[in-house]
Amino acid sequence: MSQFWSETVRALQPYVPGEQPQLPNLVKLNTNENPYGPGPRVLEALRGAIGDTLRLYPDPDSTRLREAIAAHCAGGAITPDQVFVGNGSDEVLAHVFPALLRHERPILFPDITYSFYPVYCRLYGVAHRTVPLDASFVLRVADYAQPNGGIVLANPNAPTGRVLPLSAIEALLRASPDSVVVVDEAYIDFGGESAVALVPRHPNLLVVQTLSKSRSLAGLRVGFAVGQAALIDALNRVKNSFNSYPLDRLAQTGAVAAIEDRHWFDHTRQAVIRTRAALTRELTALGFEVLPSAANFVFARHPRHDAEKSALALRQRGILVRHFRQPRIEQFLRISVGTDEQCAALVAALKETVSP
Ligand SMILES: *Cc1c(COP(=O)(O)O)cnc(C)c1O
């Protein structure tokens, strides 16, 4: 701690992302990146964007990108003024907290979910209450029928991978018509139905998505929110009080190409979904209990092997997975779905470490 720190900084508890070690030959299954790179159309578009125009500021409104997202989301039911884009969905979420969730009443989110939400609460002074998931880590909609200043949930949830049907999202929206319900759909393209289709009917719904997972662009930092124009206006007011140009020229160009390349998107996510099924079978055969996953990771525990020790043993074999030292889930490993080869390496290493 330094004498120069403000009170605000002293009180922060920053999010700790999964490690990104700069070591060669690591099997990196710890941060849910896509094992397949961006498609050739994206790479070509990015190369085309490198040139003299980089001396100019980018479009502050990311107009082409918002148009592309509107055209490719929800079968044309969305207009560009219902789309907000940011430097990764983490930045979009960061703007959501002061823009739409800081009210008198505390906001609600599950006890087991993306651990960035409480971090934003502290940064922006948003009171929150956590609502326990049930014993199988399923969200009980009825538990949210209580006065609140907003609701945030990840669907599919992180780090469990469990998904809620749209009927449950609609029930949440109807039970809290005066609060914004934020649905973080970072993993929706790997399973489940997007709530974007509900936006035209629900003024209190904000859906957040990212190009980091299903579009293989974690390195480009692009995320977006879809909601009715009043909610999007609120986000623009915060954004334009913070950074007018959050998406640079390369990010806007690459993101447009990625959104338009339906073929690459479908091809790679189907591959991830297939590998997830195979990985689930193999982990189950090794004695793991694997939660049903609609995401590009699985969440698994072994009845006889300590999760933290297993994560360390895997690390010594050059394989990274994520372990959370957190009540209720400290015996779980979160394993990103890699290529078939990466998952085979993981299973081979686990056979050595968890065999009786
Ligand atoms: C990965 C992830 C994000 C952040 O994605 P970025 O767009 O890379 O910032 C947001 N929410 C959840 C639940 C995630 O897992």
Side-chain angles (χ1 to χ4, degrees):
M1 211 192 283
S2 157
Q3 68 194 93
F4 302 114
W5 287 15
S6 67
E7 278 306 315
T8 312
V9 165
R10 283 170 209 266
L12 294 181
Q13 286 179 312
Y15 176 73
V16 183
E19 55 179 330
Q20 300 285 357
Q22 306 296 316
L23 299 171
N25 304 323
L26 270 184
V27 176
K28 210 176 155 301
L29 304 175
N30 67 329
T31 53
N32 300 341
E33 288 138 332
N34 201 308
Y36 305 104
R41 283 180 59 179
V42 169
L43 299 180
E44 198 187 305
L46 286 172
R47 277 186 215 104
I50 296 173
D52 178 67
T53 51
L54 284 176
R55 73 194 170 76
L56 301 171
Y57 280 108
D59 172 9
D61 303 318
S62 298
T63 308
R64 277 202 60 213
L65 176 55
R66 288 186 302 107
E67 285 169 358
I69 290 167
H72 287 80
C73 275
I78 297 300
T79 54
D81 66 341
Q82 295 174 326
V83 181
F84 175 84
V85 296
N87 188 239
S89 59
D90 283 340
E91 186 186 80
V92 176
L93 288 165
H95 291 340
V96 168
F97 281 73
L100 299 166
L101 300 176
R102 190 162 55 202
H103 301 294
E104 216 152 286
R105 290 180 171 141
I107 66 165
L108 308 175
F109 49 80
D111 61 338
I112 307 295
T113 191
Y114 190 36
S115 45
F116 226 135
Y117 305 149
V119 174
Y120 294 130
C121 284
R122 257 178 233 110
L123 174 61
Y124 291 109
V126 175
H128 73 276
R129 189 183 307 145
T130 56
V131 182
L133 298 173
D134 78 7
S136 317
F137 301 102
V138 175
L139 182 148
R140 285 175 301 221
V141 170
D143 295 350
Y144 288 76
Q146 54 171 303
N148 65 75
I151 295 172
V152 182
L153 66 139
N155 195 45
N157 197 13
T160 66
R162 299 205 79 134
V163 71
L164 284 176
L166 274 195
S167 55
I169 306 285
E170 274 209 282
L172 285 171
L173 288 162
R174 275 199 230 98
S176 294
D178 299 322
S179 307
V180 173
V181 177
V182 180
V183 185
D184 179 352
E185 294 189 336
Y187 301 104
I188 196 70
D189 298 323
F190 301 106
E193 244 186 300
S194 173
V196 164
L198 302 179
V199 162
R201 274 184 284 138
H202 293 276
N204 59 330
L205 169 62
L206 190 78
V207 182
V208 179
Q209 292 193 10
T210 174
L211 275 68
S212 296
K213 277 78 182 226
S214 58
R215 308 271 178 177
S216 307
L217 286 174
L220 208 60
R221 311 302 303 127
V222 182
F224 61 90
V226 179
Q228 292 194 10
L231 302 189
I232 300 303
D233 280 349
L235 297 176
N236 277 319
R237 289 172 72 89
V238 173
K239 172 233 168 205
N240 288 322
S241 307
F242 177 82
N243 177 3
S244 310
Y245 305 102
L247 264 69
D248 61 61
R249 282 177 175 270
L250 296 178
Q252 292 187 34
T253 303
V256 168
I259 294 287
E260 288 177 346
D261 194 349
R262 188 86 215 174
H263 173 77
W264 187 264
F265 169 67
D266 281 331
H267 179 70
T268 50
R269 71 189 175 128
Q270 290 311 329
V272 168
I273 291 168
R274 266 197 311 277
T275 305
R276 179 180 71 206
L279 177 62
T280 302
R281 278 195 301 276
E282 302 212 53
L283 291 173
T284 306
L286 286 175
F288 280 90
E289 177 203 338
V290 186
L291 295 190
S293 171
N296 68 338
F297 57 83
V298 295
F299 204 47
R301 80 176 141 198
H302 199 287
R304 293 184 310 280
H305 292 275
D306 180 70
E308 189 162 19
K309 284 191 188 134
S310 297
L312 266 175
L314 288 170
R315 198 175 199 295
Q316 280 155 2
R317 289 165 173 78
I319 301 171
L320 298 186
V321 300
R322 192 95 196 257
H323 171 258
F324 298 90
R325 213 178 277 154
Q326 189 189 326
R328 293 191 75 189
I329 58 169
E330 68 275 273
Q331 283 311 323
F332 280 85
L333 296 175
R334 193 197 67 188
I335 305 168
S336 308
V337 177
T339 60
D340 287 334
E341 294 71 34
Q342 289 176 317
C343 290
L346 168 88
V347 170
L350 282 174
K351 273 186 184 145
E352 288 174 21
T353 54
V354 304
S355 302

